[in-house]
Amino acid sequence: MIEQNLLLVLTVLPFAGALLAVSLGTHARNAEAWLAAIVMAAGLVITLSLYPLIQDGGALRSQIQWVPSIGLNLLFRLDGFSWMFLLLVFGIGLMVVIYARFYLSPKDPSARFFGSLLAFTGAMAGVLLSGNVIMLVVFWELTSITSFLLISYWHHLQGARDGARMSLIVTGLGGLCLLAAMLIIGHVVGSYDIDRILAAGGVIKDHGLYPVILALFLLGTFTKSAQFPFHFWLPNAMNAPTPVSSYLHSATMVKAGVYLMVRFAPSIGGTDLWFYAVGGVGMVTMAFGAFVALFRHDLKGLLAYSTISHLGLITALAGFGTPAAIVAAIFHIANHAIFKASLFMAAGIVDHEAGTRDMRRLSGLRRLMPVTFVLTALAAAAMAGVPLLSGFISKEMFLAETIEPYNGSQFAALLPWVATIGSLFSAAYALRLILSVFFGPDATSLPKTPHEPPRLMRLPVEILVLLAVAVGCFPYQTIAPILKVAVLSVLGDATPHYSLSLWHGFNTPLMMSAIALIGGTLLYLTFRRQIEEGPDGPPLIHPLRGQRVFDRLLLILSWRVPRRLLSTFASDRLQSQLVIIILVAFLVAAWSVWGVPRPVPDILGGVGFDLPFAMLWIVGATCAVAAAWQAKYHRFAALVLLGGAGLCTVMTFALLSAPDLAVTQLLVEIVTTVLLLLLGLRWLPKRREPIKGDGALRSHLRRTRDLVIAVACGGGVAIVALWVMLSPPVDTIGDWFLQNAYSEGGGTNVVNVILVDFRAFDTFGEITVLAIVGLTVFSLLRRFRPAPEAAGRPDEQIGADPKMLDQFLYVPAIVMQWMFAPTIALSAYLFFRGHDLPGGGFAAGVTLAVGFLMQYIAANVRWIESRLTVLPIRWIGWGLLIAAATGMGAWLFGYPFLTAHSQYLDIPIIGRVPAASALFFDLGVFLLVVGATVLMLIAIAHQSLRSARARELDEARAKEEDEEVA
């Protein structure tokens, strides 16, 4: 049980660290770095401690029930492959944290950096530990969001903002494709459990939707791992701080795509479609990335395209799909993480100490930075696949896989040629990196005088390079146990015999490596001058940049096409938009009942006539029609009539034995009426004169059309309602609620038990939406400025005696202030009785909000806020926290999220009272409703305050001018 809980800890720990990090001081670099390092080290230690449980190829699983009725559970899963990835995530993450402490300037906001970095680590850990594909996609998209925050860290730079936006759009859209693929896979397999999906490979590949699944799956993984033609976002992300680039390119963001391809290769791979699509794209990306990298002058740009190339290599191995190819892919994932993290850190050191990354300006640094030179040279050699370094063995395995015959196609015959050419360019750009930066004459006119970095800043590079050398020289003593558990978890019984020996004799892969290394060296030395003096990119095609194509497409799809469609099919007038929406809904409804023998029910068959009820509805309908009639020129009358229609609805609920609905409707009517009085009648533009053209024939025809549409739609809704009410009664879910509300939920108020127990998950989502709406309305109203004719004093106040204004509505104001305490008592009464009698958290919250509303009406804003501090945003936050904590509290007792417990308690003096855990959830609803309602009220009330301040300034200015004239 402890081991299963550790999986949850591995996921939650980085997010908890992120929350703590952002709460520390903005420039508390040491505290932030220590916190991040402790979190990374703890994650690494926990991961290592779990090795004995997965060393035999098994998987460790832990499940937390969330909404089991719909199969939505939090399932965590750890096997050898994800364990190896976690080692990279937390191990390299620890190195990045140490490096970042010395890389970032004291002026940089360290809280935001380390908070975003830890949140990104948590998202990546979630991807690796997810045992449910839907949960995996959620964390997958979370990596896109958190990487956006990291890439845009220096948001004052235009390039950082553009690169972050591009990465979010490309990987986010790919994530949506992946979500669609996983939903279809879950439908085909009948489960979203990863283990069941991996075991159902035959079912997936034999299904008719397999091509669709594969296309969507690959769109998600290709965009994440920057495969051609989606590679362009990765070089543009180089405007991020170097620690971010090092982390994203080595162990996390871009590796998520290849992780998923290798993970699912045994289940959805192994077909010709998979071989050609994945293998083909991988080989093209490998060769293209290596070719472009050779011509990039920016040090990080070269490394970015080298990452694209190596990701293409891993993708190609996953596409080949043989057991030996999967072994090589897993091995190269680990090797690439080690040498690429060290190379990016070395590039950051050069940039940090020399002040530039332009290789045309850098030269001769080996004399000024000898230790950095040795580290960079070893890491670059490992990247090129030089013997006795980590990259050599895995690249030899890759070359050996390219010469396999496979299906004997022309494509298979081209694989060794493309692999050799790509490896040749890899050797060339690795050599260029070393010679351009560290050899040659001493550089002049650099922004800074180069020197070795602080010892601890260089320490992570030294550790990673030492690992690269150790793996290259002693693979069996270093990487072999890790590689074994990772391969076993992916391939299982299909695991082949593989060798990590440094020498396999003179064979074809060795000859291909030799050709690549020698050819790459000759290529660079021959064309060195042309490369250094040429443009920043390959010859001929360097003007064609992926960023330009992306920006062009984004402009067309997000601006030009929508504007053209809007001008063709839409209108900027709200009335026209509503007409279109209502007409479409009416036509769809009419089409659905077309051909029904008797669409109009017999309203007289077996139904008695209730005169009082009919009169009530006649009054309500009259109020509604009259409100619509008066809305244009007589808004106050329309508002009063609208309230009358609402009161008729309240009485209807009461007559039909729905007291809970009646209470809620009455309270909502009060709140909305007051808000409309404050906003609609005070701040909307005034209408004293007839609208121009209102009496024209065209206006009459338009109103006649609207009347016909309104009557038709209203009549249709009435027919549907009558049909439902007059249909023979059948068993519904409502019957189940009536029978089980007390026994299952511990309450006799069925409506409230449904809201806080049976459908509490829905209620939780609804209050979350209410919180968002409240904050949105508040933000909009803060920027709202009324029309000029509505911004001044009301006509009734102009020229009036100030003393008379102070005493205006004096008696009602006193009464409303006296009513505040009874309103609070009524709110508490409705809250505590809600589980058994009409009431509940929502009704109580609206009641308390009405109390606050009355106070703002009774006195001016300054007087109220000097005596009453509400802080509604905190109410909203505490409401959400309490509701969520109540749901998660069920986990402590082994029950699903939001499972409620109820019983009766004997309290002295009071007696036997109901006690349900749902009461705490209802408390969260209560607090949030009060906060959201009062927040909108305050935003409206502050319009009066803002206008009063403007008038006071104008009056003071006018007084000063009069005094100057006098």
Side-chain angles (χ1 to χ4, degrees):
M1 184 63 182
I2 295 178
E3 292 80 5
Q4 284 85 354
N5 291 336
L6 288 177
L7 301 185
L8 179 61
V9 171
L10 282 174
T11 308
V12 174
L13 181 63
F15 290 111
L19 289 175
L20 185 57
V22 298
S23 67
L24 296 177
T26 304
H27 301 291
R29 283 201 305 163
N30 290 331
E32 301 280 356
W34 272 106
L35 171 65
I38 290 172
V39 170
M40 295 292 187
L44 183 61
V45 170
I46 294 172
T47 302
L48 289 171
S49 69
L50 295 174
Y51 174 75
L53 302 175
I54 48 90
Q55 63 179 338
D56 296 326
L60 181 63
R61 291 167 60 93
S62 176
Q63 178 171 303
I64 298 176
Q65 291 184 326
W66 178 258
V67 189
S69 59
I70 60 174
L72 186 59
N73 298 312
L74 299 181
L75 180 59
F76 297 93
R77 177 186 184 277
L78 178 70
D79 63 6
F81 190 36
S82 54
W83 180 84
M84 183 195 81
F85 252 97
L86 283 175
L87 281 184
L88 298 176
V89 168
F90 287 113
I92 295 180
L94 179 60
M95 300 295 103
V96 168
V97 168
I98 298 172
Y99 177 83
R101 161 61 184 81
F102 298 93
Y103 179 87
L104 295 177
S105 167
K107 298 180 181 179
D108 290 325
S110 56
R112 180 157 56 86
F113 176 84
F114 287 107
S116 300
L117 185 71
L118 288 173
F120 178 79
T121 302
M124 192 65 200
V127 170
L128 300 174
L129 291 170
S130 293
N132 179 295
V133 290
I134 304 300
M135 181 174 153
L136 184 150
V137 174
V138 171
F139 283 111
W140 179 280
E141 291 290 62
L142 194 56
T143 61
S144 297
I145 296 171
T146 49
S147 67
F148 169 83
L149 299 176
L150 287 170
I151 296 170
S152 63
Y153 175 71
W154 285 333
H155 52 76
H156 60 280
L157 302 176
Q158 180 66 38
R161 297 196 301 270
D162 291 341
R165 181 193 60 183
M166 187 182 303
S167 69
L168 180 64
I169 293 174
V170 174
T171 60
L173 290 176
L176 294 178
C177 294
L178 183 66
L179 173 62
M182 293 306 182
L183 290 173
I184 299 173
I185 289 176
H187 172 72
V188 171
V189 177
S191 173
Y192 296 108
D193 190 313
I194 285 182
D195 283 324
R196 292 187 59 182
I197 291 173
L198 294 178
V203 175
I204 298 173
K205 286 180 279 193
D206 292 339
H207 200 275
L209 292 174
Y210 173 70
V212 177
I213 292 172
L214 185 60
L216 293 171
F217 178 85
L218 294 181
L219 281 173
T221 54
F222 285 170
T223 52
K224 200 73 157 184
S225 287
Q227 296 299 289
F228 184 88
F230 308 107
H231 64 283
F232 53 86
W233 71 265
L234 189 56
N236 286 282
M238 289 302 98
N239 290 287
T242 298
V244 173
S245 302
S246 176
Y247 202 34
L248 263 63
H249 287 233
S250 61
T252 54
M253 176 80 166
V254 295
K255 288 291 177 63
V258 293
Y259 165 80
L260 218 58
M261 282 186 276
V262 172
R263 166 69 74 198
F264 284 87
S267 59
I268 64 175
T271 63
D272 287 342
L273 190 59
W274 172 276
F275 175 71
Y276 288 118
V278 182
V281 169
M283 293 302 292
V284 169
T285 304
M286 182 250 185
F288 175 79
F291 174 67
V292 176
L294 178 61
F295 298 94
R296 292 303 299 265
H297 299 312
D298 178 39
L299 191 55
K300 286 177 67 175
L302 181 151
L303 293 176
Y305 274 98
S306 76
T307 298
I308 293 171
S309 176
H310 283 270
L311 291 172
L313 183 155
I314 300 169
T315 300
L317 287 169
F320 299 160
T322 62
I326 298 299
V327 173
I330 296 173
F331 190 17
H332 198 71
I333 286 172
N335 286 336
H336 176 262
I338 295 171
F339 64 68
K340 187 54 61 71
S342 60
L343 278 172
F344 266 106
M345 291 181 188
I349 288 174
V350 171
D351 185 20
H352 192 268
E353 306 304 333
T356 181
R357 302 195 307 256
D358 191 338
M359 288 188 289
R360 293 169 297 185
R361 301 179 62 186
L362 295 167
S363 178
L365 294 186
R366 77 181 190 279
R367 289 178 287 275
L368 299 174
M369 306 172 68
V371 178
T372 302
F373 158 64
V374 173
L375 296 174
T376 307
L378 288 172
M383 179 173 64
V386 173
L388 298 182
L389 294 171
S390 60
F392 171 71
I393 303 175
S394 57
K395 184 164 279 191
E396 288 285 293
M397 297 170 74
F398 162 69
L399 295 174
E401 289 305 305
T402 61
I403 62 177
E404 293 292 326
Y406 297 109
N407 55 10
S409 64
Q410 193 70 25
F411 170 74
L414 289 174
L415 293 180
W417 298 93
V418 177
T420 303
I421 293 171
S423 300
L424 186 147
F425 280 107
S426 296
Y429 68 66
L431 182 63
R432 183 193 176 195
L433 188 154
I434 299 171
L435 295 183
S436 296
V437 176
F438 295 99
F439 286 85
D442 291 340
T444 58
S445 68
L446 291 176
K448 298 180 181 179
T449 302
H451 57 82
E452 288 289 357
R455 179 70 180 82
L456 289 178
M457 184 178 181
R458 199 178 59 210
L459 178 62
V461 186
E462 295 171 346
I463 294 174
L464 292 170
V465 171
L466 179 63
L467 284 175
V469 174
V471 170
C473 295
F474 310 104
Y476 285 104
Q477 292 76 20
T478 54
I479 196 69
I482 299 173
L483 182 61
K484 177 184 176 182
V485 297
V487 170
L488 274 176
S489 65
V490 176
L491 297 176
D493 295 336
T495 300
H497 172 73
Y498 57 90
S499 173
L500 301 181
S501 300
L502 301 178
W503 176 253
H504 294 89
F506 290 100
N507 52 22
T508 304
L510 182 62
M511 295 301 101
M512 295 168 69
S513 285
I515 292 171
L517 291 173
I518 297 172
T521 303
L522 294 176
L523 174 68
Y524 175 67
L525 294 178
T526 303
F527 297 99
R528 180 177 184 178
R529 182 177 177 182
Q530 291 86 338
I531 293 173
E532 299 295 341
E533 296 177 356
D536 186 20
L540 302 179
I541 65 171
H542 68 88
L544 183 62
R545 295 293 179 92
Q547 181 180 2
R548 295 175 183 172
V549 177
F550 172 82
D551 290 338
R552 185 74 175 175
L553 286 174
L554 193 63
L555 177 65
I556 293 173
L557 295 177
S558 65
W559 179 257
R560 293 183 179 175
V561 172
R563 301 280 288 187
R564 183 167 298 178
L565 292 174
L566 188 65
S567 62
T568 304
F569 299 104
S571 169
D572 56 356
R573 298 179 66 245
L574 179 60
Q575 189 177 35
S576 300
Q577 296 175 14
L578 290 174
V579 168
I580 294 173
I581 294 172
I582 293 172
L583 270 179
V584 170
F586 177 77
L587 292 175
V588 170
W591 177 77
S592 64
V593 300
W594 187 264
V596 176
R598 193 179 181 185
V600 180
D602 182 6
I603 63 173
L604 300 177
V607 178
F609 181 73
D610 190 340
L611 181 60
F613 191 79
M615 294 298 295
L616 175 65
W617 269 77
I618 290 173
V619 172
T622 303
C623 289
V625 173
W629 184 269
Q630 296 291 330
K632 183 174 292 187
Y633 294 109
H634 306 284
R635 291 173 177 152
F636 183 78
L639 185 59
V640 172
L641 291 167
L642 192 62
L647 288 176
C648 291
T649 305
V650 171
M651 296 174 68
T652 301
F653 286 144
L655 288 172
L656 296 177
S657 301
D660 243 314
L661 294 178
V663 170
T664 303
Q665 179 69 27
L666 178 61
L667 293 168
V668 170
E669 284 293 330
I670 295 172
V671 171
T672 54
T673 301
V674 174
L675 289 177
L676 287 173
L677 277 171
L678 289 171
L679 179 62
L681 300 186
R682 175 64 182 91
W683 299 117
L684 291 181
K686 300 176 182 179
R687 283 185 179 173
R688 296 193 183 93
E689 300 177 358
I691 299 173
K692 184 179 180 180
D694 193 39
L697 176 62
R698 183 176 180 181
S699 297
H700 284 293
L701 292 176
R702 174 176 53 81
R703 285 196 291 270
T704 303
R705 178 205 65 188
D706 294 345
L707 177 62
V708 172
I709 294 174
V711 171
C713 293
V717 172
I719 291 173
V720 172
L722 282 171
W723 188 274
V724 172
M725 289 188 292
L726 298 178
S727 298
V730 296
D731 291 336
T732 65
I733 192 172
D735 299 324
W736 187 91
F737 286 140
L738 290 170
Q739 296 170 6
N740 294 275
Y742 184 76
S743 60
E744 299 288 339
T748 57
N749 182 1
V750 181
V751 173
N752 194 69
V753 172
I754 292 173
L755 292 176
V756 301
D757 193 335
F758 293 143
R759 303 299 297 269
F761 192 75
D762 292 347
T763 305
F764 184 74
E766 290 162 3
I767 62 173
T768 304
V769 172
L770 178 60
I772 295 170
V773 170
L775 293 171
T776 304
V777 171
F778 176 73
S779 300
L780 292 174
L781 289 177
R782 285 187 65 186
R783 296 178 178 272
F784 169 73
R785 296 298 179 268
E789 65 269 23
R793 291 181 182 272
D795 293 344
E796 295 79 6
Q797 296 183 14
I798 297 175
D801 185 1
K803 293 183 178 180
M804 185 188 72
L805 293 178
D806 291 339
Q807 296 178 357
F808 184 69
L809 292 177
Y810 184 77
V811 174
I814 293 295
V815 173
M816 284 189 282
Q817 290 175 357
W818 284 351
M819 288 297 295
F820 189 45
T823 304
I824 295 175
L826 176 61
S827 174
Y829 174 69
L830 290 173
F831 175 77
F832 286 109
R833 78 197 296 260
H835 212 55
D836 284 329
L837 295 170
F842 185 86
V846 177
T847 302
L848 186 56
V850 170
F852 286 116
L853 282 172
M854 289 192 297
Q855 303 315 300
Y856 274 88
I857 294 174
N860 64 69
V861 177
R862 291 171 178 169
W863 190 91
I864 289 296
E865 295 190 350
S866 65
R867 292 163 173 80
L868 186 65
T869 303
V870 183
L871 302 177
I873 294 179
R874 295 191 182 181
W875 286 62
I876 293 174
W878 278 109
L880 276 179
L881 285 174
I882 290 173
T886 303
M888 290 186 289
W891 291 344
L892 301 176
F893 302 95
Y895 291 99
F897 181 71
L898 281 173
T899 300
H901 175 71
S902 62
Q903 67 180 43
Y904 280 82
L905 299 177
D906 291 317
I907 299 179
I909 302 176
I910 297 177
R912 189 174 178 81
V913 296
S917 60
L919 181 68
F920 296 103
F921 181 79
D922 219 10
L923 176 62
V925 175
F926 167 77
L927 294 174
L928 192 142
V929 169
V930 174
T933 308
V934 174
L935 183 64
M936 291 184 277
L937 161 70
I938 289 176
I940 296 172
H942 280 197
Q943 289 294 330
S944 300
L945 190 61
R946 190 178 294 114
S947 298
R949 288 171 179 168
R951 287 196 302 270
E952 290 171 359
L953 289 175
D954 292 340
E955 292 171 358
R957 193 178 297 112
K959 185 177 180 180
E960 290 176 0
E961 292 175 355
D962 292 340
E963 291 176 353
E964 290 176 359
V965 171

